[in-house]
Amino acid sequence: MERGWAGARLVEAAQAGDRDAIAAVVHGAHPHVRRFAQHLCASSADAEDAAQEALIILYRKIGTLRATAALASWMFRIVRNECLRRARAVLDTEPAVDLDFDPAASAEEEVLRRLDAEQLAGAIAELPMVQRRVLIMRDVLGHSGRATADALGLSTAAMKSQLHRARTAVRQSLVLDR
């Protein structure tokens, strides 16, 4: 976040519970948090939701912030975690109902499925931003190549190249984890 949008006195007043100060900090943080979320999340809708969630957390928990200088890193960590949570939620879909329910087998399968989902989410999180966004938009959210390229401001060829690199990096990461 840029220097000066929330001075130390304003943050301290917000930490002390001054509602006007809290409102000023939240209002000042919004464009910065939103811009950061746009770069990190897979879609504009997820970015807006992540930014809003971060601002709600800021509003509710600013009193727990220990150091006024840590406000920016705290906010960005919240946004990053929210974007990752949203990506994991997309990856962690519920399995179909099995009429031949075997509790022992399904519990084991559920643990393995969750481990695989966590490894996959971790591998995706390690990708460079553009590759991560391309991969999530194409392979997770199912957007078309043209829509993905347009949304990210890339040519179709550049989007395909980034997608290939992302898939290769994730595949290699998953092979190394086994």
Side-chain angles (χ1 to χ4, degrees):
M1 290 187 218
E2 298 169 4
R3 265 181 175 251
W5 71 266
R9 286 189 204 158
L10 181 62
V11 175
E12 288 169 2
Q15 287 174 296
D18 180 332
R19 291 195 183 271
D20 291 334
I22 294 171
V25 169
V26 169
H27 180 73
H30 186 256
H32 306 290
V33 168
R34 188 172 183 208
R35 187 171 38 249
F36 182 67
Q38 285 288 340
H39 291 291
L40 194 59
C41 290
S43 69
S44 294
D46 280 349
E48 188 59 37
D49 289 346
Q52 290 299 322
E53 185 64 29
L55 294 172
I56 289 168
I57 291 170
L58 171 64
Y59 180 81
R60 289 182 182 162
K61 297 189 176 189
I62 193 162
T64 65
L65 182 64
R66 292 188 181 134
T68 59
L71 178 65
S73 61
W74 184 55
M75 288 300 303
F76 290 146
R77 193 168 49 252
I78 292 169
V79 171
R80 181 191 57 129
N81 290 342
E82 187 62 21
C83 288
L84 287 174
R85 187 187 68 75
R86 290 176 179 285
R88 284 184 185 120
V90 170
L91 295 172
D92 192 27
T93 58
E94 290 297 318
V97 176
D98 184 9
L99 297 177
D100 297 324
F101 181 69
D102 178 3
S106 65
E108 181 179 326
E109 289 171 8
E110 177 66 13
V111 168
L112 291 174
R113 187 183 65 78
R114 287 188 185 266
L115 284 173
D116 287 344
E118 286 177 19
Q119 290 172 337
L120 179 59
I124 292 170
E126 293 174 6
L127 292 172
M129 178 194 60
V130 171
Q131 291 178 15
R132 180 174 52 245
R133 293 180 83 188
V134 166
L135 182 80
I136 290 173
M137 289 181 77
R138 288 286 291 136
D139 292 351
V140 178
L141 300 176
H143 294 292
S144 70
R146 180 80 255 150
T148 300
D150 289 345
L152 298 176
L154 300 171
S155 68
T156 302
M159 183 280 305
K160 287 179 180 179
S161 176
Q162 293 295 336
L163 180 60
H164 174 73
R165 289 179 187 149
R167 286 174 176 166
T168 300
V170 168
R171 193 175 305 116
Q172 287 176 345
S173 178
L174 294 176
V175 168
L176 293 176
D177 285 346
R178 297 207 182 255

